Amino acid sequence: EFNNPKYTRGITTSRNMVAGQYIKIVLPGAGVYTAKVVENLRKYLAISYPDGNPLPPGFSWREQKVKIYFWRQEDAGYYFEAKILGDYNDKQYPILHVKHSDNLVRAQKRNSIRVGLNQNAYLFRLRSINDANEQVEQGGGYRCKMVDISESGAGVMVGGRAKAGMPVKIQTVLGDQDIVMSGTVKDVTFKEMKNLSILHIEAVPPSSFMKNRILSYVYGIFRDEK
């Protein structure tokens, strides 16, 4: 009974994950995949072979760096980054071995749950944050890539060096639904070697309609599936 999550303050390491736990795996450049923990061993997690978008012939998960999300019943959502140690697709029961992480992020610590993604989008500069709107644009804008999203903001990757303080509008499609949000660039992480900037955008509170679209995607990532 004392092991019941409602009596604890959450977990901080993947070593405490239980067999049968469903997870979402974000593979950069490919998409989101579903799997579950088969066995939790001292050196790694053994997980079922990921189900999702088809991968190129000869592709191996081995050495891939991924982001893993899961929802722990009666507790919270969690996120961590990990490396795949082994790809055993040739076995009778295909599995992956995932390196343990002792740096789990408990999603409920945020004011809103944020999930990672790798999604093409368009960025529009606004003259003022007072021009914020949720109208779908039919053209123009700068091509960019969304790296995470929540109802309160997003992370967006753009080429070159950018500055904080810009009012912007982001437009993308998640599933089959248009997602549009406006906000202010609060911080910028510049990656000099790649000449890329990640914009950390604080969104204007979305309408109930748009908020529901965003949350349906966010909680779809965390939802246990059979």
Side-chain angles (χ1 to χ4, degrees):
E1 178 70 4
F2 282 121
N3 286 329
N4 192 308
K6 67 184 179 182
Y7 291 112
T8 71
R9 304 181 72 179
I11 60 177
T12 59
T13 173
S14 60
R15 302 173 198 279
N16 294 136
M17 293 175 69
V18 298
Q21 171 70 61
Y22 282 87
I23 61 175
K24 296 286 186 176
I25 304 169
V26 177
L27 177 64
V32 180
Y33 294 78
T34 305
K36 72 175 180 178
V37 176
V38 176
E39 194 173 7
N40 192 331
L41 301 169
R42 185 171 63 87
K43 293 185 177 180
Y44 54 79
L45 287 171
I47 67 171
S48 62
Y49 214 76
D51 183 35
N53 296 333
L55 292 165
F59 173 85
S60 174
W61 284 87
R62 183 180 175 85
E63 299 297 321
Q64 297 289 336
K65 293 182 180 179
V66 298
K67 298 178 180 180
I68 295 178
Y69 298 83
F70 65 96
W71 179 267
R72 189 169 179 247
Q73 277 194 314
E74 298 186 48
D75 183 6
Y78 288 86
Y79 154 82
F80 65 97
E81 297 183 2
K83 185 170 76 171
I84 308 297
L85 298 176
D87 182 333
Y88 301 97
N89 188 31
D90 55 346
K91 302 295 184 182
Q92 183 179 0
Y93 301 104
I95 60 172
L96 299 182
H97 288 174
V98 180
K99 185 177 181 180
H100 276 303
S101 172
D102 295 319
N103 295 298
L104 269 59
V105 176
R106 194 166 185 257
Q108 295 291 37
K109 288 182 178 178
R110 290 182 176 269
N111 292 329
S112 57
I113 297 176
R114 181 166 300 205
V115 296
L117 68 162
N118 183 31
Q119 181 74 21
N120 291 329
Y122 288 92
L123 183 77
F124 303 85
R125 291 195 64 171
L126 301 176
R127 287 178 298 177
S128 165
I129 197 61
N130 294 325
D131 294 329
N133 66 83
E134 295 177 353
Q135 179 180 346
V136 176
E137 303 292 342
Q138 300 303 318
Y142 300 96
R143 290 197 60 150
C144 61
K145 187 156 298 243
M146 295 186 72
V147 296
D148 60 48
I149 189 171
S150 75
E151 63 184 282
S152 62
V156 177
M157 184 186 299
V158 298
R161 188 186 291 270
K163 294 182 179 180
M166 292 188 300
V168 296
K169 175 179 175 180
I170 316 161
Q171 180 173 308
T172 190
V173 176
L174 294 179
D176 58 355
Q177 296 186 315
D178 291 311
I179 301 294
V180 185
M181 64 167 57
S182 299
T184 303
V185 178
K186 289 295 185 179
D187 192 22
V188 177
T189 302
F190 180 62
K191 298 182 178 294
E192 190 169 357
M193 295 292 291
K194 296 182 179 180
N195 193 33
L196 295 172
S197 292
I198 297 179
L199 313 183
H200 305 284
I201 299 168
E202 181 181 321
V204 170
S207 65
S208 296
F209 175 77
M210 191 60 63
K211 179 179 179 179
N212 287 337
R213 284 191 170 188
I214 295 170
L215 289 179
S216 68
Y217 178 82
V218 169
Y219 282 94
I221 288 288
F222 283 118
R223 184 174 56 244
D224 284 355
E225 296 179 359
K226 293 186 178 180

PDB file of all heavy atoms in Angstrom, residues 1-2 10 29 40 121 127 129 139 151 155 171 176 178 184 190 195-196 202-203 217 220 222:
ATOM      1  N   GLU A   1       0.830  -1.205   0.000  1.00  0.00           N
ATOM      2  CA  GLU A   1       0.000   0.000   0.000  1.00  0.00           C
ATOM      3  C   GLU A   1       0.864   1.255   0.000  1.00  0.00           C
ATOM      4  O   GLU A   1       0.567   2.227  -0.677  1.00  0.00           O
ATOM      5  CB  GLU A   1      -0.930  -0.011   1.220  1.00  0.00           C
ATOM      6  CG  GLU A   1      -1.813   1.237   1.351  1.00  0.00           C
ATOM      7  CD  GLU A   1      -2.890   1.323   0.281  1.00  0.00           C
ATOM      8  OE1 GLU A   1      -3.018   0.387  -0.523  1.00  0.00           O
ATOM      9  OE2 GLU A   1      -3.594   2.340   0.275  1.00  0.00           O
ATOM     10  N   PHE A   2       1.979   1.229   0.755  1.00  0.00           N
ATOM     11  CA  PHE A   2       2.824   2.414   0.807  1.00  0.00           C
ATOM     12  C   PHE A   2       3.548   2.649  -0.516  1.00  0.00           C
ATOM     13  O   PHE A   2       4.089   3.735  -0.731  1.00  0.00           O
ATOM     14  CB  PHE A   2       3.833   2.294   1.950  1.00  0.00           C
ATOM     15  CG  PHE A   2       3.234   2.587   3.277  1.00  0.00           C
ATOM     16  CD1 PHE A   2       3.253   1.630   4.290  1.00  0.00           C
ATOM     17  CD2 PHE A   2       2.641   3.814   3.542  1.00  0.00           C
ATOM     18  CE1 PHE A   2       2.676   1.903   5.528  1.00  0.00           C
ATOM     19  CE2 PHE A   2       2.074   4.091   4.771  1.00  0.00           C
ATOM     20  CZ  PHE A   2       2.082   3.124   5.777  1.00  0.00           C
ATOM     21  N   GLY A  10       6.589  11.234  -6.221  1.00  0.00           N
ATOM     22  CA  GLY A  10       7.018  11.047  -7.593  1.00  0.00           C
ATOM     23  C   GLY A  10       8.324  10.268  -7.652  1.00  0.00           C
ATOM     24  O   GLY A  10       8.863   9.830  -6.640  1.00  0.00           O
ATOM     25  N   GLY A  29      13.266  13.898 -36.299  1.00  0.00           N
ATOM     26  CA  GLY A  29      13.230  13.732 -37.743  1.00  0.00           C
ATOM     27  C   GLY A  29      12.314  12.637 -38.228  1.00  0.00           C
ATOM     28  O   GLY A  29      12.119  12.483 -39.443  1.00  0.00           O
ATOM     29  N   ASN A  40      12.527  -4.041 -16.379  1.00  0.00           N
ATOM     30  CA  ASN A  40      13.421  -3.014 -15.874  1.00  0.00           C
ATOM     31  C   ASN A  40      14.618  -3.712 -15.227  1.00  0.00           C
ATOM     32  O   ASN A  40      14.498  -4.308 -14.161  1.00  0.00           O
ATOM     33  CB  ASN A  40      12.696  -2.120 -14.858  1.00  0.00           C
ATOM     34  CG  ASN A  40      13.482  -0.872 -14.517  1.00  0.00           C
ATOM     35  OD1 ASN A  40      14.717  -0.871 -14.563  1.00  0.00           O
ATOM     36  ND2 ASN A  40      12.783   0.199 -14.171  1.00  0.00           N
ATOM     37  N   ALA A 121       6.508  24.100 -39.275  1.00  0.00           N
ATOM     38  CA  ALA A 121       5.554  25.152 -38.945  1.00  0.00           C
ATOM     39  C   ALA A 121       5.941  26.428 -39.689  1.00  0.00           C
ATOM     40  O   ALA A 121       6.962  26.472 -40.395  1.00  0.00           O
ATOM     41  CB  ALA A 121       5.539  25.401 -37.432  1.00  0.00           C
ATOM     42  N   ARG A 127       3.512  43.138 -35.678  1.00  0.00           N
ATOM     43  CA  ARG A 127       3.953  44.503 -35.370  1.00  0.00           C
ATOM     44  C   ARG A 127       3.857  44.761 -33.874  1.00  0.00           C
ATOM     45  O   ARG A 127       4.673  45.450 -33.282  1.00  0.00           O
ATOM     46  CB  ARG A 127       3.091  45.511 -36.125  1.00  0.00           C
ATOM     47  CG  ARG A 127       3.364  45.569 -37.626  1.00  0.00           C
ATOM     48  CD  ARG A 127       2.450  46.550 -38.310  1.00  0.00           C
ATOM     49  NE  ARG A 127       1.040  46.156 -38.163  1.00  0.00           N
ATOM     50  CZ  ARG A 127       0.017  46.867 -38.608  1.00  0.00           C
ATOM     51  NH1 ARG A 127       0.236  48.022 -39.213  1.00  0.00           N
ATOM     52  NH2 ARG A 127      -1.211  46.433 -38.452  1.00  0.00           N
ATOM     53  N   ILE A 129       2.077  42.780 -30.028  1.00  0.00           N
ATOM     54  CA  ILE A 129       1.373  41.634 -29.444  1.00  0.00           C
ATOM     55  C   ILE A 129      -0.128  41.890 -29.434  1.00  0.00           C
ATOM     56  O   ILE A 129      -0.936  40.955 -29.335  1.00  0.00           O
ATOM     57  CB  ILE A 129       1.898  41.346 -28.019  1.00  0.00           C
ATOM     58  CG1 ILE A 129       1.491  39.917 -27.585  1.00  0.00           C
ATOM     59  CG2 ILE A 129       1.418  42.395 -27.040  1.00  0.00           C
ATOM     60  CD1 ILE A 129       2.041  38.825 -28.442  1.00  0.00           C
ATOM     61  N   GLY A 139      -0.624  32.037 -46.684  1.00  0.00           N
ATOM     62  CA  GLY A 139       0.688  32.142 -47.316  1.00  0.00           C
ATOM     63  C   GLY A 139       1.608  33.034 -46.512  1.00  0.00           C
ATOM     64  O   GLY A 139       1.206  33.663 -45.533  1.00  0.00           O
ATOM     65  N   GLU A 151      -0.144  24.518 -23.776  1.00  0.00           N
ATOM     66  CA  GLU A 151      -1.184  25.536 -23.925  1.00  0.00           C
ATOM     67  C   GLU A 151      -0.659  26.929 -23.610  1.00  0.00           C
ATOM     68  O   GLU A 151      -1.284  27.932 -23.964  1.00  0.00           O
ATOM     69  CB  GLU A 151      -2.357  25.217 -22.995  1.00  0.00           C
ATOM     70  CG  GLU A 151      -1.977  25.253 -21.519  1.00  0.00           C
ATOM     71  CD  GLU A 151      -3.110  24.843 -20.619  1.00  0.00           C
ATOM     72  OE1 GLU A 151      -4.016  25.664 -20.396  1.00  0.00           O
ATOM     73  OE2 GLU A 151      -3.068  23.706 -20.125  1.00  0.00           O
ATOM     74  N   GLY A 155       8.334  25.962 -28.156  1.00  0.00           N
ATOM     75  CA  GLY A 155       9.722  26.122 -28.547  1.00  0.00           C
ATOM     76  C   GLY A 155       9.815  25.983 -30.058  1.00  0.00           C
ATOM     77  O   GLY A 155       9.262  25.029 -30.628  1.00  0.00           O
ATOM     78  N   GLN A 171       2.072  28.915 -36.726  1.00  0.00           N
ATOM     79  CA  GLN A 171       0.992  28.154 -37.353  1.00  0.00           C
ATOM     80  C   GLN A 171       1.524  26.792 -37.789  1.00  0.00           C
ATOM     81  O   GLN A 171       2.555  26.690 -38.434  1.00  0.00           O
ATOM     82  CB  GLN A 171       0.467  28.912 -38.568  1.00  0.00           C
ATOM     83  CG  GLN A 171      -0.662  28.230 -39.318  1.00  0.00           C
ATOM     84  CD  GLN A 171      -1.216  29.141 -40.410  1.00  0.00           C
ATOM     85  OE1 GLN A 171      -1.570  30.305 -40.151  1.00  0.00           O
ATOM     86  NE2 GLN A 171      -1.267  28.632 -41.629  1.00  0.00           N
ATOM     87  N   ASP A 176      -4.819  16.342 -37.802  1.00  0.00           N
ATOM     88  CA  ASP A 176      -5.472  16.986 -38.954  1.00  0.00           C
ATOM     89  C   ASP A 176      -6.078  18.325 -38.559  1.00  0.00           C
ATOM     90  O   ASP A 176      -6.986  18.829 -39.218  1.00  0.00           O
ATOM     91  CB  ASP A 176      -6.560  16.066 -39.526  1.00  0.00           C
ATOM     92  CG  ASP A 176      -7.614  15.691 -38.485  1.00  0.00           C
ATOM     93  OD1 ASP A 176      -7.443  16.069 -37.315  1.00  0.00           O
ATOM     94  OD2 ASP A 176      -8.603  15.028 -38.848  1.00  0.00           O
ATOM     95  N   ASP A 178      -5.576  22.468 -37.512  1.00  0.00           N
ATOM     96  CA  ASP A 178      -4.728  23.668 -37.537  1.00  0.00           C
ATOM     97  C   ASP A 178      -4.512  24.171 -36.119  1.00  0.00           C
ATOM     98  O   ASP A 178      -5.464  24.295 -35.341  1.00  0.00           O
ATOM     99  CB  ASP A 178      -5.386  24.776 -38.363  1.00  0.00           C
ATOM    100  CG  ASP A 178      -5.431  24.453 -39.844  1.00  0.00           C
ATOM    101  OD1 ASP A 178      -4.390  24.060 -40.390  1.00  0.00           O
ATOM    102  OD2 ASP A 178      -6.524  24.584 -40.443  1.00  0.00           O
ATOM    103  N   THR A 184       5.097  36.081 -27.266  1.00  0.00           N
ATOM    104  CA  THR A 184       6.322  36.878 -27.235  1.00  0.00           C
ATOM    105  C   THR A 184       7.522  35.969 -27.002  1.00  0.00           C
ATOM    106  O   THR A 184       7.469  35.065 -26.177  1.00  0.00           O
ATOM    107  CB  THR A 184       6.259  37.922 -26.102  1.00  0.00           C
ATOM    108  OG1 THR A 184       5.104  38.737 -26.283  1.00  0.00           O
ATOM    109  CG2 THR A 184       7.501  38.801 -26.109  1.00  0.00           C
ATOM    110  N   PHE A 190      20.963  30.186 -28.790  1.00  0.00           N
ATOM    111  CA  PHE A 190      21.644  30.203 -30.093  1.00  0.00           C
ATOM    112  C   PHE A 190      22.675  29.083 -30.146  1.00  0.00           C
ATOM    113  O   PHE A 190      23.534  28.965 -29.263  1.00  0.00           O
ATOM    114  CB  PHE A 190      22.329  31.545 -30.323  1.00  0.00           C
ATOM    115  CG  PHE A 190      23.045  31.635 -31.651  1.00  0.00           C
ATOM    116  CD1 PHE A 190      22.354  31.529 -32.839  1.00  0.00           C
ATOM    117  CD2 PHE A 190      24.427  31.833 -31.694  1.00  0.00           C
ATOM    118  CE1 PHE A 190      23.014  31.612 -34.071  1.00  0.00           C
ATOM    119  CE2 PHE A 190      25.091  31.911 -32.901  1.00  0.00           C
ATOM    120  CZ  PHE A 190      24.377  31.802 -34.098  1.00  0.00           C
ATOM    121  N   ASN A 195      24.354  27.403 -36.468  1.00  0.00           N
ATOM    122  CA  ASN A 195      23.732  28.670 -36.840  1.00  0.00           C
ATOM    123  C   ASN A 195      22.208  28.579 -36.748  1.00  0.00           C
ATOM    124  O   ASN A 195      21.475  28.934 -37.664  1.00  0.00           O
ATOM    125  CB  ASN A 195      24.149  29.097 -38.254  1.00  0.00           C
ATOM    126  CG  ASN A 195      23.768  30.545 -38.547  1.00  0.00           C
ATOM    127  OD1 ASN A 195      23.761  31.396 -37.654  1.00  0.00           O
ATOM    128  ND2 ASN A 195      23.436  30.836 -39.805  1.00  0.00           N
ATOM    129  N   LEU A 196      21.738  28.079 -35.614  1.00  0.00           N
ATOM    130  CA  LEU A 196      20.311  27.928 -35.365  1.00  0.00           C
ATOM    131  C   LEU A 196      19.946  28.604 -34.052  1.00  0.00           C
ATOM    132  O   LEU A 196      20.757  28.662 -33.124  1.00  0.00           O
ATOM    133  CB  LEU A 196      19.926  26.445 -35.281  1.00  0.00           C
ATOM    134  CG  LEU A 196      20.086  25.597 -36.542  1.00  0.00           C
ATOM    135  CD1 LEU A 196      19.855  24.120 -36.212  1.00  0.00           C
ATOM    136  CD2 LEU A 196      19.100  26.052 -37.616  1.00  0.00           C
ATOM    137  N   GLU A 202       6.382  32.588 -25.007  1.00  0.00           N
ATOM    138  CA  GLU A 202       5.287  32.610 -24.036  1.00  0.00           C
ATOM    139  C   GLU A 202       4.034  33.073 -24.763  1.00  0.00           C
ATOM    140  O   GLU A 202       3.990  34.180 -25.310  1.00  0.00           O
ATOM    141  CB  GLU A 202       5.611  33.557 -22.889  1.00  0.00           C
ATOM    142  CG  GLU A 202       4.532  33.614 -21.817  1.00  0.00           C
ATOM    143  CD  GLU A 202       4.886  34.578 -20.701  1.00  0.00           C
ATOM    144  OE1 GLU A 202       6.067  34.635 -20.303  1.00  0.00           O
ATOM    145  OE2 GLU A 202       3.964  35.282 -20.232  1.00  0.00           O
ATOM    146  N   ALA A 203       3.017  32.223 -24.784  1.00  0.00           N
ATOM    147  CA  ALA A 203       1.839  32.492 -25.610  1.00  0.00           C
ATOM    148  C   ALA A 203       0.827  33.396 -24.919  1.00  0.00           C
ATOM    149  O   ALA A 203       0.700  33.388 -23.689  1.00  0.00           O
ATOM    150  CB  ALA A 203       1.164  31.180 -25.990  1.00  0.00           C
ATOM    151  N   TYR A 217      -3.982  17.195 -28.153  1.00  0.00           N
ATOM    152  CA  TYR A 217      -2.714  16.625 -28.635  1.00  0.00           C
ATOM    153  C   TYR A 217      -1.787  16.298 -27.463  1.00  0.00           C
ATOM    154  O   TYR A 217      -1.217  15.212 -27.397  1.00  0.00           O
ATOM    155  CB  TYR A 217      -2.015  17.600 -29.585  1.00  0.00           C
ATOM    156  CG  TYR A 217      -0.683  17.075 -30.061  1.00  0.00           C
ATOM    157  CD1 TYR A 217      -0.606  16.170 -31.107  1.00  0.00           C
ATOM    158  CD2 TYR A 217       0.499  17.453 -29.433  1.00  0.00           C
ATOM    159  CE1 TYR A 217       0.610  15.647 -31.529  1.00  0.00           C
ATOM    160  CE2 TYR A 217       1.718  16.940 -29.832  1.00  0.00           C
ATOM    161  CZ  TYR A 217       1.774  16.048 -30.884  1.00  0.00           C
ATOM    162  OH  TYR A 217       2.982  15.538 -31.279  1.00  0.00           O
ATOM    163  N   GLY A 220      -2.981  13.400 -25.582  1.00  0.00           N
ATOM    164  CA  GLY A 220      -2.900  12.217 -26.446  1.00  0.00           C
ATOM    165  C   GLY A 220      -1.526  11.597 -26.400  1.00  0.00           C
ATOM    166  O   GLY A 220      -1.365  10.384 -26.486  1.00  0.00           O
ATOM    167  N   PHE A 222       0.409  11.580 -23.736  1.00  0.00           N
ATOM    168  CA  PHE A 222       0.596  10.920 -22.442  1.00  0.00           C
ATOM    169  C   PHE A 222      -0.367   9.762 -22.202  1.00  0.00           C
ATOM    170  O   PHE A 222      -0.138   8.931 -21.339  1.00  0.00           O
ATOM    171  CB  PHE A 222       0.414  11.936 -21.310  1.00  0.00           C
ATOM    172  CG  PHE A 222       1.585  12.837 -21.128  1.00  0.00           C
ATOM    173  CD1 PHE A 222       1.474  14.208 -21.293  1.00  0.00           C
ATOM    174  CD2 PHE A 222       2.835  12.323 -20.794  1.00  0.00           C
ATOM    175  CE1 PHE A 222       2.563  15.046 -21.122  1.00  0.00           C
ATOM    176  CE2 PHE A 222       3.919  13.144 -20.620  1.00  0.00           C
ATOM    177  CZ  PHE A 222       3.780  14.511 -20.787  1.00  0.00           C
TER     178      PHE A 222
END
